[in-house]
């Protein structure tokens, strides 16, 4: 015998270190790319949402674009600071759900979870339809095929995420860098211009500006603020997906969160400054971002680079949901509010069932909307503000419960101020969009909470019946009877009886007989062959007037259990497993019928013996 000596701390040359999964997790840079697409893409519609609301007050109203944007940027700073604290306090992820669960109770945490689920699902649908809308604007001939294009983009994003979150981050780094870089160039160049270089994009399009200026009231400013806050969707995604980062997870996630806030804030403020500088007016059929690119860079190749980068990033910003929602579903499943299958991980640290569930629901929304963005936008952003508000209130409770922490009062005031702002935004968004479809979210939110609680009660009942958390009684051996359904003699029958004899104290073969003459002939032939074979196992005849297979066997199992109460009954079902998948179509599925009937009507153990064909 040869003995290999290994020095302490050394690893044998042919032995690889254990895979901890860290290489399939995110760095700060890849985390920024994978989880900030939603927030980055929002600059394509956030400033426009502000301008469209203020346009109701004419040119005078547009003068408030920058103040409203600064207020949103201030809220962004509050949210980033808050979610940095959420990341540190709740490194297992979950964002507002985790905060509410710890500090606000189970019911509030479920409201937060439901709001996040709705936001993530709607984000996918809105992002995909918006991206395809940008494509069909450039190529109008594709407009009639927009639904199929939306589904194709969804399949692409889903496939990339099934490869792992790191793979998705690598795939989306280039579009993110191109988009962010293009917007920064647009802003930088625009700041050195006093007048637009070109207005070719807006020429010939009807203005959306009100003909007669009106006063700018508080309600209009609140509505503009709430509409512009759609640019803040996605800020919470990093806090929800902290477990997806490499160690040290908290520091990497916090860096990605700060980078997201800084980049998004600069872009929002910069674009708003250019809107005021160029006295831009919203026009029908042309986005505000397109007009700004035209005004700053001219109607040339740079303009088209920004348009295509915007189109691609909008379509791919759905990736934020694929990074955050599966982690949230895992936490809900771990707490018994969703099926436990959502807590399972595949290779490459992928929560595959969460990814596929998100894709399926998003596909249904795309089909429901026909690939139209305007159908989905009224439903968007309500859930995220509910989650924002709950997280802020929960962090206020968190800081009030802290003892001896530095800056505790300032952090409490910061989160409390943020809770007021996001709460107001949630109310205003819901009120202003209620008739346009927001009522559907108001109804769906409590229904999701009820669904979570129903699943939780079901798991509680299962846990009680199984005695989870309690020491069970010692195992003991019962007398066992193994029942083997047969219909003919073959090698499969012999293998089944051999396996049954290995499992139980007594083996009984059963066959179902019918009154038809042809069936009686077959039965007599089977009994003669059985007597000639003489396997040492009795063949029990089960007469049945109706042509059914599972019920008479289940009835016999019940009779055995009733007459022999201290006996453990096992039903062994022998089945052929063919070499090729298509050959399964040749099978009669009798085994599945018997298994279903026995499982439904008895407590017997079911054993399915697979006989492989080679």
């Amino acid at each position: 015998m040869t003995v290999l000596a290994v020095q302490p701390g050394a690893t044998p040359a042919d032995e690889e270190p254990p895979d901890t999964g860290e290489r399939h997790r995110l760095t700060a840079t890849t985390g920024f790319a994978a989880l900030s697409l939603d927030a980055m893409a929002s600059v394509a519609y956030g400033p426009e949402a502000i301008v469209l609301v203020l346009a109701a007050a004419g040119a005078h109203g547009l003068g408030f674009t920058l103040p409203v944007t600064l207020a949103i940027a201030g809220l962004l700073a509050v949210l980033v600071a808050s979610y940095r604290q959420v990341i540190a306090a709740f490194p297992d992820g979950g964002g507002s759900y985790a905060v509410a669960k710890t500090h606000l109770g189970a019911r509030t945490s479920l409201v937060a979870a439901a709001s996040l689920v709705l936001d993530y699902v709607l984000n996918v649908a809105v992002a995909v339809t918006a991206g395809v809308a940008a494509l069909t604007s450039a190529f109008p001939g594709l407009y009639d095929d927009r639904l199929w294009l939306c589904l194709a983009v969804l399949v692409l994003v889903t496939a990339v995420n099934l490869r792992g979150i790191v793979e998705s981050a690598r795939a989306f780094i280039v579009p993110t860098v191109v988009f962010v870089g293009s917007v920064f160039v647009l802003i930088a160049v625009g700041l050195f211009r006093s007048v637009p270089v070109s207005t070719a994009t807006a020429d010939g399009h009807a203005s959306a500006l009100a003909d007669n200026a009106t006063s700018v009231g508080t309600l209009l400013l609140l509505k503009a603020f709430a509409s512009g806050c759609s640019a803040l969707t996605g800020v919470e995604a990093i806090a929800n997906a902290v477990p997806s980062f490499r160690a040290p997870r908290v520091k990497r996630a916090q860096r990605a969160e700060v980078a997201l806030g800084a980049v998004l804030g600069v872009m929002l403020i910069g674009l708003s400054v250019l809107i005021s500088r160029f006295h831009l007016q919203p026009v029908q059929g042309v986005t505000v971002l397109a007009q700004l690119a035209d005004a700053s860079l001219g109607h040339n190749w740079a303009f088209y680079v920004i348009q295509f980068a915007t189109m691609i990033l909008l379509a791919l910003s759905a990736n934020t949901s694929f990074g955050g929602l599966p982690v949230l579903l895992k936490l809900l499943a771990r707490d018994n509010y969703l099926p436990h299958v959502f807590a399972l991980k595949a290779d490459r640290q992928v929560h595959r069932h969460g990814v596929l569930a998100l894709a399926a629901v998003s596909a249904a929304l795309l089909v429901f909307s026909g690939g139209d963005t305007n159908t989905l936008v009224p439903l968007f952003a309500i859930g995220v503000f509910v989650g924002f508000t709950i997280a802020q209130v929960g962090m206020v409770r968190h800081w009030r419960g802290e003892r001896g922490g530095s800056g505790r009062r300032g952090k409490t005031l910061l989160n409390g101020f943020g809770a007021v702002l996001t709460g107001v935004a949630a109310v205003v968004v819901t009120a202003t969009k209620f008739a346009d479809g927001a009522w559907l979210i108001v109804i769906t939110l409590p229904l999701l909470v009820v669904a979570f609680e129903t699943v939780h009660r079901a798991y509680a009942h299962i846990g009680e019946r199984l005695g989870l958390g309690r020491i069970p009684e010692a195992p003991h051996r019962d007398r066992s009877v193994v029942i083997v359904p047969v219909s003919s003699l073959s090698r499969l029958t012999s293998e089944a009886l051999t396996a049954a004899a290995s499992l139980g104290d007594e083996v009984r073969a059963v066959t179902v007989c019918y009154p038809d003459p042809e069936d009686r002939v077959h039965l007599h032939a089977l009994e003669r062959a059985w007597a000639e074979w003489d396997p040492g196992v009795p063949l029990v005849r089960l007469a049945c007037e109706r042509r059914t297979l599972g019920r008479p066997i289940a009835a016999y199992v019940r009779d055995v259990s009733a007459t022999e109460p201290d006996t453990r009954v096992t039903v062994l079902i022998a089945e052929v497993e063919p070499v090729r998948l298509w050959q399964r179509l040749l099978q009669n599925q009798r085994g599945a019928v018997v298994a279903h009937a026995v499982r439904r009507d008895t407590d017997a153990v079911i054993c399915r013996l697979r006989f492989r064909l080679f």
Side-chain angles (χ1 to χ4, degrees):
M1 181 177 66
T2 302
V3 179
L4 297 178
V6 180
Q7 295 296 326
T11 302
D14 59 346
E15 182 178 326
E16 295 182 358
D19 185 5
T20 61
E22 287 297 302
R23 63 192 180 94
H24 297 304
R25 299 183 189 273
L26 299 169
T27 64
T29 302
T30 55
F32 174 79
L35 299 172
S36 68
L37 292 177
D38 179 18
M40 294 299 104
S42 66
V43 302
Y45 50 80
E48 183 165 5
I50 298 172
V51 169
L52 288 174
V53 172
L54 294 177
H60 180 61
L62 292 178
F64 288 86
T65 300
L66 183 57
V68 171
T69 303
L70 290 175
I72 293 173
L75 177 57
L76 172 64
V78 172
L79 288 173
V80 169
S82 175
Y83 276 106
R84 283 189 77 256
Q85 302 303 323
V86 171
I87 290 169
F90 300 92
D92 289 335
S96 58
Y97 168 70
V99 175
K101 177 187 170 186
T102 303
H103 298 293
L104 301 176
R107 178 66 62 84
T108 306
S109 71
L110 294 182
V111 174
S115 66
L116 286 174
V117 169
L118 290 174
D119 177 63
Y120 277 135
V121 173
L122 286 167
N123 172 60
V124 172
V126 169
V128 171
T129 55
V132 171
L135 177 64
T136 56
S137 297
F139 303 98
L142 298 176
Y143 183 78
D144 292 337
D145 298 320
R146 63 189 184 281
L147 176 58
W148 293 109
L149 291 171
C150 287
L151 294 175
V153 172
L154 178 61
V155 169
L156 173 64
V157 176
T158 303
V160 171
N161 278 275
L162 287 175
R163 292 281 299 166
I165 192 167
V166 170
E167 296 295 330
S168 71
R170 290 171 181 165
F172 300 147
I173 277 182
V174 172
T176 304
V177 171
V178 171
F179 176 79
V180 173
S182 299
V183 173
F184 277 145
V185 169
L186 183 157
I187 294 171
V189 173
L191 290 176
F192 288 97
R193 300 193 186 279
S194 57
V195 294
V197 175
S198 170
T199 59
T201 305
D203 290 343
H205 292 267
S207 174
L209 197 67
D211 294 333
N212 50 345
T214 61
S215 59
V216 180
T218 303
L219 183 60
L220 184 67
L221 290 176
L222 284 176
K223 187 176 180 180
F225 174 81
S227 297
C229 279
S230 60
L232 302 182
T233 57
V235 172
E236 80 291 347
I238 293 174
N240 291 338
V242 178
S244 298
F245 284 82
R246 292 180 187 175
R249 289 167 177 62
V250 169
K251 288 186 178 180
R252 292 182 187 273
Q254 286 180 329
R255 290 171 189 163
E257 183 74 40
V258 171
L260 185 156
V263 172
L264 180 58
V266 170
M267 288 196 297
L268 288 175
I269 295 174
L271 293 176
S272 294
V273 169
L274 294 186
I275 290 172
S276 300
R277 176 184 287 266
F278 296 142
H279 304 289
L280 184 144
Q281 297 181 5
V283 298
Q284 297 176 4
V286 179
T287 65
V288 168
L289 187 60
Q291 291 187 68
L292 288 175
D294 203 20
S296 294
L297 305 174
H299 202 75
N300 49 33
W301 63 270
F303 169 83
Y304 287 103
V305 167
I306 290 181
Q307 290 305 104
F308 277 100
T310 304
M311 174 192 70
I312 294 173
L313 199 74
L314 277 169
L316 299 183
S317 64
N319 192 68
T320 298
S321 295
F322 283 97
L325 182 59
V327 176
L328 175 62
L329 297 183
K330 178 201 75 172
L331 295 177
L332 287 167
R334 189 185 65 185
D335 295 336
N336 297 330
Y337 290 110
L338 278 180
H340 288 169
V341 69
F342 288 108
L344 301 179
K345 280 185 181 180
D347 294 337
R348 300 173 179 267
Q349 301 295 315
V350 177
H351 294 94
R352 182 175 298 162
H353 294 90
V355 170
L356 293 175
L358 174 58
V361 178
S362 300
L365 274 176
L366 291 174
V367 173
F368 164 75
S369 66
D372 181 37
T373 308
N374 293 328
T375 304
L376 297 169
V377 166
L379 311 177
F380 192 46
I382 296 174
V384 73
F385 284 112
V386 174
F388 282 162
T389 305
I390 291 175
Q392 299 287 326
V393 173
M395 290 307 293
V396 170
R397 294 285 298 272
H398 174 77
W399 296 125
R400 292 183 64 183
E402 287 284 306
R403 291 291 180 267
S406 60
R408 183 168 57 90
R409 183 172 182 179
K411 294 174 181 177
T412 302
L413 292 174
L414 180 69
N415 292 132
F417 180 62
V420 172
L421 291 180
T422 54
V424 169
V427 172
V428 174
V429 170
T430 304
T432 55
K433 297 182 178 181
F434 188 84
D436 296 328
W439 59 268
L440 187 60
I441 300 299
V442 175
I443 294 175
T444 305
L445 196 63
L447 289 179
L448 271 178
V449 173
V450 171
F452 293 152
E453 292 180 332
T454 301
V455 172
H456 192 268
R457 285 195 298 269
Y459 274 125
H461 176 70
I462 293 171
E464 180 64 27
R465 292 295 303 273
L466 293 178
L468 296 179
R470 302 194 299 268
I471 298 177
E473 63 181 19
H476 60 278
R477 189 181 188 282
D478 289 335
R479 178 179 177 274
S480 59
V481 172
V482 183
I483 297 171
V484 183
V486 298
S487 59
S488 61
L489 291 187
S490 66
R491 185 179 172 188
L492 181 63
T493 310
S494 176
E495 292 286 342
L497 294 181
T498 300
S502 303
L503 292 174
D505 300 315
E506 180 183 353
V507 179
R508 302 176 192 174
V510 298
T511 186
V512 180
C513 57
Y514 306 105
D516 296 350
E518 182 180 349
D519 294 306
R520 285 183 175 275
V521 171
H522 176 74
L523 173 64
H524 293 322
L526 175 61
E527 289 178 333
R528 286 195 302 270
W530 195 274
E532 182 181 349
W533 182 36
D534 191 17
V537 175
L539 179 64
V540 180
R541 179 194 301 183
L542 303 179
C544 183
E545 296 296 326
R546 300 178 59 187
R547 186 164 291 278
T548 180
L549 182 63
R551 290 182 180 179
I553 295 176
Y556 179 73
V557 172
R558 288 198 304 270
D559 291 341
V560 172
S561 299
T563 56
E564 305 175 47
D566 295 329
T567 299
R568 178 76 63 178
V569 179
T570 300
V571 179
L572 189 146
I573 302 170
E575 298 173 294
V576 172
E577 184 169 303
V579 178
R580 292 178 173 81
L581 182 63
W582 69 267
Q583 292 176 337
R584 295 185 181 182
L585 298 174
L586 306 179
Q587 296 176 288
N588 55 29
Q589 308 300 324
R590 290 164 63 95
V593 172
V594 173
H596 174 71
V598 173
R599 182 182 296 109
R600 181 189 59 196
D601 299 333
T602 75
D603 294 327
V605 177
I606 299 174
C607 177
R608 302 184 74 168
L609 174 66
R610 302 288 186 177
F611 182 76
R612 296 180 180 273
L613 299 177
F614 297 100

